């Protein structure tokens, strides 16, 4: 008869199947934390290879290398806090605003200031290049939105529709931009016609606005929600994504995905086709800025603590073309006379199973305790010894060293609900065998004192639970008694009403 190894009863586990989206975003692992000189208010990746990262913090804008993660260039010619450093579409120029009310255009390689635009009367929080590469958009706390000409350094358009600080903006399409302000509105401007073409009102001050893929809709961050508005339908709201607990401060688009960062320390990713949350990541401080590289391999998150996190997406190594070709080809056919027989390798027995198979009960118990086995495995072996009637024989005849791990196991797991019935029987057997010898070993005596204390605590808890159950039963009984007379009176009233003559 074949020996059947001891198998601990497996507990039913709830299998949580993550979404494919969640598995994709979990590949952005191993964050690199970089300390800046102030709050990281804006981040942006270069649109051209190798997609270096531009970080705006304090009174400087710094360019970090995509491969090394080290500072390549520092643009520090600001006399006040820098804002919204942004690349031109060819990656050669950078535009940024500052709290000194100016807008500057810098050469991304030489760090030279090429243009400086002055006209705002308050800090400039939004700067962007327009798609034609010849004009610059800026928005300020002076409640104005302006368009500047690169060649002449002159202001070509000015929009005055907002009534409070303008803190966010984006380019929707060629000639169309959108800006959000603390007046709780988003205004869509036609740069060519120099007029407002749509006004979107929301319930909270606007912290961020970004155009979704295709340019037909915008996502607006205000308060703890992200609102999606269809520009083709005149700015009508089509959805609200309310999964954050605090103000959403940053938005970033990746095709059909929207990344939203918030002061609640979370960056949440939404599927904009299904309008649902697909993944969430927690950060150590409130989030102020979020950026994703154009090739979707690096995720950067800036925080109020002056630290930004840079995560790189792990990609599985590509198999060689030879192995791929080999995998695609079918195996060569076997000759008709050959017969192939599959042999299944038998799983070897554990050391305690081998000893138990030979009826070495005491040694099997020592083996299962010596190799840090799980509690379930040790209890399963103790159950097997009990069923064989060999428990006392396995416990008897031990010295202080061999008895120590058994008593320590009892002290650790005696109050475990699943193990208690078996371990109580083991403790009884040990006391029967070694009761007269406990005073000969201080170590074993101390362990039994700990075991007694733990059993007393468990008994006290069980007594309190029984008292609590008794109180609950009394309350339930009183409640039933209180409802019974009311039901009887109601039935009597119904009977009297039925007996009255009509």
């Amino acid at each position: 008869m074949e020996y059947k190894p001891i198998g601990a009863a497996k507990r039913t586990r709830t299998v949580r199947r993550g979404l494919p989206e969640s598995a994709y975003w979990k590949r952005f692992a191993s964050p690199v934390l970089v300390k800046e000189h102030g709050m990281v208010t804006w981040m942006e990746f270069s649109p051209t290879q190798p997609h270096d990262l531009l970080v705006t913090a304090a009174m400087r804008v710094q360019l970090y290398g995509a491969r090394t993660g080290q500072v390549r260039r520092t643009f520090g010619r600001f006399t006040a806090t820098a804002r919204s450093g942004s690349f031109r579409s060819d990656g050669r120029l950078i535009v940024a605003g500052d709290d000194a009310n100016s807008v500057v255009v810098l050469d991304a390689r030489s760090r030279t200031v090429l243009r400086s635009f002055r006209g705002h009367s308050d800090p400039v929080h939004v700067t962007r290049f327009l798609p034609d590469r010849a004009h610059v958009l800026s928005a300020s706390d002076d409640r104005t939105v302006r368009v500047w000409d690169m060649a002449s350094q002159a202001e070509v358009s000015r929009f005055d529709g907002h009534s409070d600080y303008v803190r966010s903006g984006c380019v929707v399409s060629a000639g169309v931009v959108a800006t959000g302000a603390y007046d709780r509105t988003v205004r869509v401007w036609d740069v060519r016609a120099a007029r407002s073409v749509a006004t979107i009102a929301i319930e909270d001050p606007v912290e961020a606005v970004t155009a979704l893929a295709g340019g037909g809709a915008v996502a607006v961050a205000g308060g703890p929600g992200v609102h999606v508005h269809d520009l083709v339908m005149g700015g009508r709201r089509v959805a609200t994504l309310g999964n954050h607990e605090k103000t959403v401060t940053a938005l970033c688009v990746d095709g059909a995905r929207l990344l939203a960062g918030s002061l609640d320390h979370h960056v949440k990713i939404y599927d904009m086709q299904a309008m649902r949350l697909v993944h969430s990541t927690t950060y150590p401080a409130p989030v102020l800025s979020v950026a994703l590289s154009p090739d979707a391999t690096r995720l950067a998150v800036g925080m109020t603590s002056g630290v930004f996190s840079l995560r790189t997406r792990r990609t599985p190594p590509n198999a060689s073309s030879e192995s791929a070709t080999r995998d695609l080809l079918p195996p060569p056919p076997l000759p008709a006379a050959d017969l192939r027989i599959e042999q299944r390798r038998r799983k070897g027995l554990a050391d305690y199973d081998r000893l138990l198979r030979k009826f070495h009960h005491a040694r099997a118990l020592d083996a299962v305790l010596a190799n840090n086995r799980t509690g379930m495995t040790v209890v399963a072996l103790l159950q097997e010894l009990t069923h064989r009637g060999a428990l006392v024989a396995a416990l008897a005849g031990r010295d202080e060293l061999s008895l120590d791990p058994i008593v320590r196991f009892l002290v650790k797991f005696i109050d475990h609900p699943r193990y208690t019935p078996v371990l109580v029987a083991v403790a009884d057997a040990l006391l029967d065998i070694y009761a007269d010898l406990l005073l000969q070993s201080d170590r074993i005596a101390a362990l039994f004192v700990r075991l007694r204390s733990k059993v007393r605590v468990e008994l006290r808890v069980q007594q309190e639970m029984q008292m609590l159950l008794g109180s609950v039963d009394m309350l339930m009984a009183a409640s039933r008694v209180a409802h019974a007379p009311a039901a009887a009176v109601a039935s009597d009233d119904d009977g009297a009403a039925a007996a009255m003559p009509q």
Side-chain angles (χ1 to χ4, degrees):
M1 182 177 179
E2 185 178 0
Y3 173 79
K4 184 178 180 181
I6 293 176
K10 295 183 179 180
R11 301 177 62 181
T12 304
R13 300 179 61 185
T14 302
V15 179
R16 299 181 61 184
R17 293 183 173 85
L19 295 172
E21 282 286 336
S22 182
Y24 172 83
W25 293 104
K26 285 180 180 179
R27 292 178 185 171
F28 286 89
S30 303
V32 177
L33 299 179
V34 181
K35 178 64 177 177
E36 273 289 348
H37 298 274
M39 293 189 295
V40 183
T41 57
W42 185 258
M43 309 179 77
E44 185 174 308
F45 283 95
S46 172
T48 59
Q49 290 284 357
H51 304 305
D52 292 336
L53 176 63
L54 192 66
V55 178
T56 305
M59 296 175 62
R60 64 184 66 190
V61 176
Q62 297 199 112
L63 186 65
Y64 286 82
R67 296 187 178 92
T68 63
Q70 302 296 320
V71 177
R72 293 184 57 189
R73 297 181 187 88
T74 298
F75 306 89
R77 298 185 180 183
F78 296 93
T79 59
T81 301
R83 306 283 182 182
S84 190
S86 179
F87 282 104
R88 198 169 72 172
S89 59
D90 58 3
R92 296 182 177 180
L93 300 182
I94 294 171
V95 63
D98 61 19
D99 286 0
N101 315 335
S102 64
V103 179
V104 295
V105 176
L106 305 157
D107 188 300
R109 295 183 179 178
S110 66
R111 299 180 294 178
T112 306
V113 177
L114 302 178
R115 295 288 187 272
S116 180
F117 307 110
R118 292 192 174 274
H120 287 291
S121 58
D122 284 308
V124 180
H125 282 264
V126 180
T127 55
R128 301 285 188 278
F129 282 103
L130 295 185
D132 62 7
R133 300 185 183 181
H135 294 87
V136 170
L137 171 74
S138 66
S140 166
D141 282 355
D142 63 7
R143 308 174 187 178
T144 66
V145 179
R146 309 187 188 212
V147 177
W148 309 87
D149 180 63
M150 286 275 294
S152 64
Q153 300 190 62
E155 177 187 304
V156 296
S157 297
R158 170 174 170 158
F159 306 101
D160 295 300
H162 287 293
S163 60
D164 207 337
Y165 299 154
V166 185
R167 293 293 177 88
S168 58
C170 68
V171 176
V172 178
S173 61
V176 179
V177 299
T179 55
Y182 279 10
D183 60 4
R184 304 183 181 186
T185 65
V186 173
R187 291 184 178 269
V188 183
W189 312 96
D190 187 335
V191 176
R192 292 162 295 192
R195 65 185 181 90
S196 173
V197 295
T199 300
I200 301 169
I202 68 168
E203 296 79 7
D204 299 282
V206 179
E207 296 288 348
V209 58
T210 187
L212 299 182
V218 292
V220 182
V226 178
H227 312 287
V228 182
H229 292 261
D230 191 337
L231 298 181
V232 179
M233 301 177 66
R236 177 182 175 183
R237 182 178 298 181
V238 296
T240 296
L241 309 171
N243 297 93
H244 286 281
E245 297 180 358
K246 294 185 178 179
T247 301
V248 179
T249 56
L251 297 174
C252 176
V253 175
D254 174 39
R257 304 293 177 264
L258 176 68
L259 288 75
S262 168
L263 297 180
D264 62 6
H265 298 217
H266 285 84
V267 172
K268 297 182 183 290
I269 296 97
Y270 297 93
D271 181 349
M272 299 309 294
Q273 294 179 346
M275 295 295 177
R276 64 187 178 91
L277 178 69
V278 295
H279 187 66
S280 178
T281 306
T282 305
Y283 287 86
V287 176
L288 289 180
S289 54
V290 178
L292 187 70
S293 63
D295 57 1
T297 59
R298 287 179 293 278
L299 173 64
V301 175
M303 291 165 274
T304 58
S305 60
V307 174
F308 73 86
S309 166
L310 183 61
R311 295 173 181 260
T312 302
R313 179 165 59 89
R314 299 192 305 267
T315 55
N318 296 325
S320 64
S321 57
E322 179 180 355
S323 62
T325 305
R326 184 174 63 248
D327 292 340
L328 292 175
L329 294 176
L334 293 172
D338 290 348
L339 179 63
R340 182 172 59 183
I341 300 176
E342 292 187 0
Q343 293 184 355
R344 297 179 60 185
R345 297 183 60 184
R346 295 180 58 184
K347 186 177 180 180
L349 295 175
D351 51 358
Y352 56 86
D353 271 319
R354 291 196 299 269
L355 293 169
L356 202 60
R357 184 180 181 181
K358 299 177 181 178
F359 302 98
H360 297 164
H361 301 133
R363 293 174 58 190
L365 181 56
D366 292 337
V368 78
L369 289 168
N371 297 322
N372 296 321
R373 313 283 184 180
T374 63
M376 182 71 74
T377 304
V378 177
V379 171
L381 187 134
L382 291 172
Q383 282 182 316
E384 178 65 20
L385 293 177
T386 303
H387 294 159
R388 293 189 179 192
L391 179 62
V392 175
L395 297 175
R398 293 178 174 270
D399 57 11
E400 181 181 13
L401 294 178
S402 60
L403 192 59
D404 182 273
I406 301 175
V407 184
R408 289 186 182 276
F409 184 83
L410 292 177
V411 173
K412 183 177 182 180
F413 291 107
I414 189 68
D415 58 348
H416 193 293
R418 301 190 67 196
Y419 306 159
T420 298
V422 177
L423 298 188
V424 166
V426 175
D428 288 340
L430 285 176
L431 290 173
D432 291 340
I433 299 172
Y434 299 102
D436 298 333
L437 305 177
L438 290 180
L439 298 179
Q440 298 181 10
S441 171
D442 294 338
R443 182 197 301 183
I444 301 301
L447 287 175
F448 271 99
V449 170
R450 290 174 54 190
L451 179 62
R452 181 182 63 184
S453 300
K454 198 163 188 180
V455 171
R456 284 179 175 176
V457 171
E458 183 65 20
L459 289 175
R460 191 178 305 114
V461 171
Q462 294 296 330
Q463 291 172 357
E464 292 175 357
M465 292 294 295
Q466 291 295 331
M467 294 173 61
L468 180 60
L469 287 175
S471 300
V472 172
D473 290 339
M474 290 177 61
L475 290 175
M476 295 297 294
S479 176
R480 287 193 294 269
V481 171
H483 287 294
V489 171
S491 61
D492 292 342
D493 291 343
D494 293 341
M500 289 180 64
Q502 301 295 329

